[in-house]
Amino acid sequence: MALHFLIEDAGAAGPGDVVRLTGAEAHHAAAVRRIRAGEDVTVGDGRGVWLTGTVSAAAPKEVSVEVSTRAEVPAASPRTVLVQALAKGDRDELAVQAATELGVDAIMPWQAARSVSRWEGPKVAKGVARWETIAREAAKQAHRPWLAELHQPVSTRQLAALAQNARMLVLEPTASVALSRIEIDAADASDVILVVGPEGGISPEELDLLQSAGATLVRLGDTVLRTSTAGPAALAVVNAALGRW
């Protein structure tokens, strides 16, 4: 399969045009992936435009691609959204990476009550930027035409407000209903929001608040998954229910 790259101005290009990878993207293509003239590649803008073409020149500072075809992939509907509680180490980052590869449409960091990791002050912008970079690289690896949208961190009350206009499914090991038993209508354009708690789980107060707002508590199975794997596992179930897999 041809290598895939992302550049913002790909959306303006079409057959016969030449698009150029520069900066870090060119370095990654020429120096890391060892792309050479004559190789076929794909290029996207992360917003649905999908170009196929052939490399005409390759250098660490600039890679030129002659475009042969252009397609526009519509955005997914309904959108799948991962609300990932902040976690220690790189567990939340692993969740972001895997969920992006599995096709999640949006990601929201959640400062849950039991989150060991805290984003405060300058850490907020740094954390969001880090997750954006992870999601971008994962999207390239997975050859996704749309980048996952990265939101600012949400509080529990902000999260509860979202449940009023979306299908919110909160992953809770003690829930009586299995996620695989939940009916999800692919014709319903409302977002499907998957909520994953931190290492210590979601507090009883948070569960009560989310349920009162309209969220449904669901479990994945009889075992308890890490916060890094629960979201991607749930997303796989939802993808199957929506007919995307």
Side-chain angles (χ1 to χ4, degrees), residues 167-216:
R167 184 71 182 276
M168 182 174 289
L169 304 172
V170 180
L171 302 186
E172 168 54 41
T174 64
S176 59
V177 181
L179 176 57
S180 59
R181 301 293 184 184
I182 296 291
E183 293 186 8
I184 301 176
D185 186 1
D188 185 349
S190 301
D191 288 351
V192 178
I193 303 178
L194 297 169
V195 180
V196 180
E199 298 93 327
I202 302 173
S203 72
E205 295 77 16
E206 289 171 323
L207 290 175
D208 288 343
L209 180 60
L210 294 176
Q211 279 188 291
S212 298
T216 302

Side-chain angles (χ1 to χ4, degrees), residues 84 87 89-98 127 130-131 134 228:
Q84 177 64 51
D90 61 352
R91 290 177 182 173
D92 47 15
E93 295 179 355
L94 290 172
V96 170
Q97 178 181 358
R130 172 64 178 164
W131 282 25
I134 292 170
S228 57

Side-chain angles (χ1 to χ4, degrees), residues 31 33 53 57 65 72 86 94 113 128 135 159 195 199 201 204 216 218 227 238:
R33 303 307 297 268
V65 179
E72 295 187 28
L86 302 183
L94 290 172
V128 171
L159 187 55
V195 180
E199 298 93 327
T216 302
V218 296
T227 188
V238 171

Side-chain angles (χ1 to χ4, degrees), residues 24-61:
E25 198 75 347
H27 176 80
H28 179 73
V32 179
R33 303 307 297 268
R34 302 291 184 180
I35 202 80
R36 294 293 181 264
E39 291 189 50
D40 293 332
V41 298
T42 58
V43 180
D45 66 348
R47 297 181 297 277
V49 170
W50 191 266
L51 308 175
T52 59
T54 303
V55 176
S56 57
K61 292 187 177 180

